[in-house]
Amino acid sequence: MAKAKTQFVCQNCGTVHTRWAGKCEGCGEWNTIVEEDPMGGIGSGPGKTPKKGRPVTLTSLSGEIEEAPRIPTGMSELDRATGGGFVRGSAVLIGGDPGIGKSTLLMQAAAALSRQGHRVIYVSGEEAVAQVRLRAQRLGAAETDVLLAAETNVEDILATISEGKRPDLVIIDSIQTLWSDTADSAPGTVTQVRTGVQAMIRFAKQTGATMVLVGHVTKEGQIAGPRVVEHMVDAVLYFEGDRGHHYRILRTVKNRFGPTDEIGVFEMSDRGLREVSNPSELFLGERNEKSPGAAVFAGMEGTRPVLVEVQALVAATSLGTPRRAVVGWDSSRLAMILAVLEAHCGVKLGQHDVYLNIAGGYRISEPAADMAIASALVSSLAGLALPADCVYFGEISLSGAVRPVSQTAQRLKEAEKLGFSTAFLPSASAELPKGSRGRWTEIESLPDLVARIAGSGNRFRQAEEDE
């Protein structure tokens, strides 16, 4: 009889090792390798022979396309992030830092769907029934018909939600607490998480119920457990925000039934999460228009234009190595902008500390913010306040050229709506609004931008002297 084999699996990244080791070779983490029994594949185990498969029907790519049936929640920001609502029979994974508001968001969504007549089941594996009821009372959801259970066993959960009428929405909070009798591992391990998620997804596909799974995140901000879980589900959403600010952002990372770059903006209050229909006003609410080093960036999040203030502080340093501190942007891209400013514009920042902050705790990922960052840096170094009614966007290349970005018209329309009358944008930009080209300042290269900022500062000082 063949000897049963065991394998050693890293609980952080899922890498399989042949023997135990203190450090995982896949992710470099220490003390994350645990011995587990393999789940078994095709024909595995002593005395088993591979089962003969049956042929399936092949079809072509052409044919009728049916729109995915959705369940709108009535929360416009949540529906925007999911692409129009939850798709029936899909599995959605939501991650976020502890205490960021994941359970609050899902309780409000469950209550909204229950008011529409949908059957919603909320399964909590981390909180008792009394704790969930307290949250529901605070959010005004206690009077709804949301069904509640506190259970962590996968088989018991499936038996419970299979009874009676098919549920429209099932919320599992969270997947790290699930455990199954079929896996000989502790709850939270890679084997248990994978087994529990597979069982929940199988139920969703077979019954047409929408399954929403809550996942813990690591210190790097990634959903804990094997990355295969993110591949198994249909959509992955991250609920993020800064504890020091009252806003929260629901960001779509993966969506098989909709766009992957949409966001929903919420504001945290004592009554739960409030939807923010115009996030630009939120990020520009406390703006100081006369302060040097502040520029307004016209960005895009999916189909939504967002205006946010970029703040820069350049100060002389007494240290041998100047400091570079970045909050809300890529530090490597800041180093590139500083190098281009010094190489092509003669702006010397090697003896200055540079601090960069995106107002409101917002995070920017698109390269279109390069021009706004460069403008804020030059403004802070020269001590000149930028025009209060101007926005900036454009990508800067290593040669100093300013490259055009997409969705120019949407950015300018959002700026006009909020009272910004001028804009600095790339010279080759397309889709400019007709009849208003004279108000836009087209920039071909970074030296041209620096010269215009310096020229506007000279005109401003001359106006003050004349007064």
Side-chain angles (χ1 to χ4, degrees):
M1 182 176 181
K3 182 180 178 180
K5 295 182 179 181
T6 59
Q7 61 187 11
F8 299 85
V9 183
C10 174
Q11 304 304 301
N12 184 56
C13 64
T15 303
V16 179
H17 303 262
T18 57
R19 64 177 67 182
W20 185 89
K23 182 179 180 180
C24 175
E25 298 178 355
C27 61
E29 294 291 329
W30 289 86
N31 300 323
T32 58
I33 299 178
V34 177
E35 180 180 0
E36 297 182 0
D37 293 330
M39 295 300 296
I42 299 178
S44 62
K48 291 186 178 180
T49 57
K51 181 181 177 181
K52 186 176 180 180
R54 58 180 180 84
V56 298
T57 305
L58 300 176
T59 184
S60 61
L61 292 176
S62 60
E64 296 183 359
I65 301 176
E66 296 182 0
E67 189 70 22
R70 294 183 179 272
I71 309 176
T73 63
M75 302 175 64
S76 58
E77 296 299 305
L78 178 58
D79 291 340
R80 173 190 289 270
T82 55
F86 293 120
V87 177
R88 294 187 180 275
S90 65
V92 181
L93 179 62
I94 298 181
D97 294 332
I100 205 67
K102 301 185 297 296
S103 300
T104 301
L105 173 66
L106 293 179
M107 178 59 70
Q108 291 184 228
L113 288 174
S114 178
R115 294 187 183 99
Q116 299 176 18
H118 298 287
R119 189 168 189 260
V120 182
I121 298 178
Y122 191 106
V123 181
S124 176
E126 300 179 347
E127 298 175 302
V129 172
Q131 292 176 290
V132 181
R133 285 176 175 171
L134 285 175
R135 181 188 299 113
Q137 291 178 359
R138 178 172 57 87
L139 300 176
E143 77 283 357
T144 59
D145 296 329
V146 177
L147 303 177
L148 179 62
E151 183 56 54
T152 57
N153 182 265
V154 174
E155 287 75 21
D156 293 344
I157 293 175
L158 292 176
T160 302
I161 62 181
S162 300
E163 286 186 347
K165 183 182 176 181
R166 183 205 68 184
D168 297 301
L169 178 69
V170 179
I171 300 174
I172 307 295
D173 188 5
S174 66
I175 59 173
Q176 273 77 16
T177 61
L178 298 181
W179 64 278
S180 173
D181 297 327
T182 61
D184 298 330
S185 301
T189 59
V190 172
T191 301
Q192 288 285 9
V193 170
R194 186 190 301 115
T195 302
V197 173
Q198 284 178 339
M200 297 302 163
I201 294 178
R202 189 182 308 113
F203 175 84
K205 301 301 181 183
Q206 291 175 351
T207 62
T210 301
M211 188 71 61
V212 179
L213 309 173
V214 178
H216 293 169
V217 297
T218 62
K219 59 183 179 181
E220 291 82 12
Q222 303 295 326
I223 295 180
R227 301 290 294 186
V228 67
V229 173
E230 299 187 28
H231 295 291
M232 294 164 59
V233 297
D234 298 304
V236 179
L237 308 176
Y238 277 93
F239 201 51
E240 57 189 38
D242 194 340
R243 293 292 185 90
H245 299 86
H246 54 276
Y247 87 95
R248 300 290 187 268
I249 289 182
L250 184 64
R251 190 180 301 274
T252 307
V253 178
K254 171 188 176 182
N255 194 352
R256 290 173 178 166
F257 306 104
T260 59
D261 50 3
E262 290 286 359
I263 64 169
V265 183
F266 300 86
E267 183 180 6
M268 180 63 76
S269 66
D270 57 347
R271 301 292 296 175
L273 292 167
R274 182 183 67 85
E275 299 177 72
V276 179
S277 58
N278 192 352
S280 298
E281 294 181 351
L282 176 66
F283 298 129
L284 297 176
E286 301 178 358
R287 180 174 173 238
N288 186 358
E289 300 177 353
K290 298 181 180 180
S291 175
V296 177
F297 165 59
M300 293 293 299
E301 288 287 353
T303 59
R304 160 180 282 172
V306 177
L307 267 61
V308 62
E309 185 182 38
V310 176
Q311 301 170 349
L313 175 61
V314 179
T317 180
S318 59
L319 304 176
T321 302
R323 187 176 182 183
R324 307 286 188 255
V326 185
V327 178
W329 205 50
D330 186 11
S331 58
S332 300
R333 200 154 190 93
L334 173 62
M336 185 198 77
I337 298 298
L338 295 176
V340 175
L341 282 172
E342 184 166 352
H344 297 284
C345 305
V347 179
K348 305 296 183 181
L349 296 170
Q351 300 300 322
H352 294 77
D353 291 332
V354 176
Y355 301 89
L356 184 66
N357 177 54
I358 307 301
Y362 186 71
R363 288 190 172 272
I364 297 177
S365 58
E366 61 173 331
D370 290 351
M371 188 184 294
I373 300 295
S375 301
L377 292 172
V378 175
S379 171
S380 178
L381 179 63
L384 303 173
L386 296 173
D389 60 346
C390 186
V391 297
Y392 304 80
F393 60 91
E395 181 183 355
I396 297 176
S397 64
L398 291 177
S399 63
V402 178
R403 303 180 60 187
V405 296
S406 61
Q407 296 172 305
T408 300
Q410 290 88 332
R411 301 174 196 262
L412 296 177
K413 288 179 181 178
E414 179 72 8
E416 284 182 326
K417 185 172 66 174
L418 295 178
F420 292 88
S421 57
T422 60
F424 279 37
L425 48 83
S427 59
S429 297
E431 304 175 356
L432 286 175
K434 297 181 179 179
S436 57
R437 180 179 294 271
R439 291 183 294 169
W440 319 130
T441 302
E442 300 185 5
I443 304 297
E444 295 183 358
S445 62
L446 190 56
D448 186 18
L449 174 66
V450 175
R452 289 179 179 272
I453 294 176
S456 63
N458 294 333
R459 291 192 298 269
F460 180 74
R461 284 195 296 266
Q462 184 64 36
E464 286 187 333
E465 292 175 359
D466 295 341
E467 292 178 358

